[in-house]
Amino acid sequence: MENLPKKVRSKKLNTRVDLTAMVSVSFLLIIFFMVTIELSKPKILDLSSRDNGCCDCREYRDYGENRSITLMLGENNKLIYYMGLLDSPIIAPKEIKYGREGIRKELLKRKKSILEFAAKGAKPKNLIVIIKPSKKSNYGNLVDILDEMKIAEIDTYAIVPEFTPKETKLLASK
């Protein structure tokens, strides 16, 4: 009995798993996704005029209307633009062509005049373009106008799908 080999017992390993690193990584991921969601929210500019009798209409006209151009896209590559409000436009509605000698030339001219006006100490500094594609306009025309915004370096523009009844009539008549 003395020479009997001893039973070799296997050494038990520690089965406890340390999850500290996993918890740290998961919190970092949660924070990362929360920040990215917050930064990816679209930034919009409120272009509606809310005149409740508290403001002088002349002050609004000098500031907002003088720097806003509305582009209406119609069927068969039709493009109509006006500056200001349709009821009292600064530039009456006109049909214009796409491209370098058409809308791009007009946008650059208006942007230059606003920058000159701002250099004299006036408030407005940017040109605001409101793009209104009709249901009958094609997608290519919208892409062309967005390209013109990039080429003319106009940062403030909005795509508004709604038309007023006057704008609908104007787009159908010309």
Side-chain angles (χ1 to χ4, degrees), residues 2-141:
E2 289 178 19
N3 289 342
L4 287 175
K6 288 187 177 179
K7 267 189 171 177
V8 177
R9 293 203 168 213
S10 61
K11 188 176 181 184
K12 291 198 175 186
L13 296 174
N14 189 0
T15 58
R16 191 165 169 242
V17 178
D18 187 17
L19 296 177
T20 308
M22 179 93 67
V23 171
S24 298
V25 168
S26 64
F27 277 117
L28 284 173
L29 285 172
I30 290 171
I31 291 170
F32 171 76
F33 286 118
M34 287 173 58
V35 169
T36 26
I37 288 171
E38 187 62 33
L39 292 177
S40 68
K41 287 183 182 174
K43 309 291 186 266
I44 59 172
L45 174 66
D46 186 17
L47 297 176
S48 63
S49 62
R50 295 184 186 95
D51 186 16
N52 298 329
C54 64
C55 301
D56 182 19
C57 291
R58 177 82 178 135
E59 179 183 326
Y60 178 75
R61 181 172 178 86
D62 287 344
Y63 185 64
E65 291 177 29
N66 284 340
R67 63 187 192 120
S68 68
I69 292 180
T70 303
L71 304 175
M72 297 187 301
L73 312 177
E75 63 182 323
N76 298 327
N77 299 328
K78 183 187 282 189
L79 174 61
I80 297 176
Y81 84 100
Y82 63 89
M83 190 165 188
L85 298 175
L86 188 56
D87 293 332
S88 60
I90 296 167
I91 296 176
K94 296 178 188 175
E95 189 166 346
I96 195 167
K97 296 184 187 236
Y98 291 90
R100 176 180 291 156
E101 293 302 316
I103 191 63
R104 185 183 311 164
K105 186 177 182 180
E106 189 66 30
L107 289 172
L108 290 172
K109 184 168 80 171
R110 296 296 160 208
K111 183 178 178 183
K112 183 180 176 188
S113 68
I114 286 175
L115 290 175
E116 288 171 358
F117 188 65
K120 296 176 185 175
K123 287 183 184 178
K125 294 184 177 23
N126 304 6
L127 181 65
I128 299 171
V129 179
I130 302 167
I131 304 167
K132 293 190 171 189
S134 70
K135 292 180 181 176
K136 295 181 180 179
S137 67
N138 64 33
Y139 184 72
N141 290 343

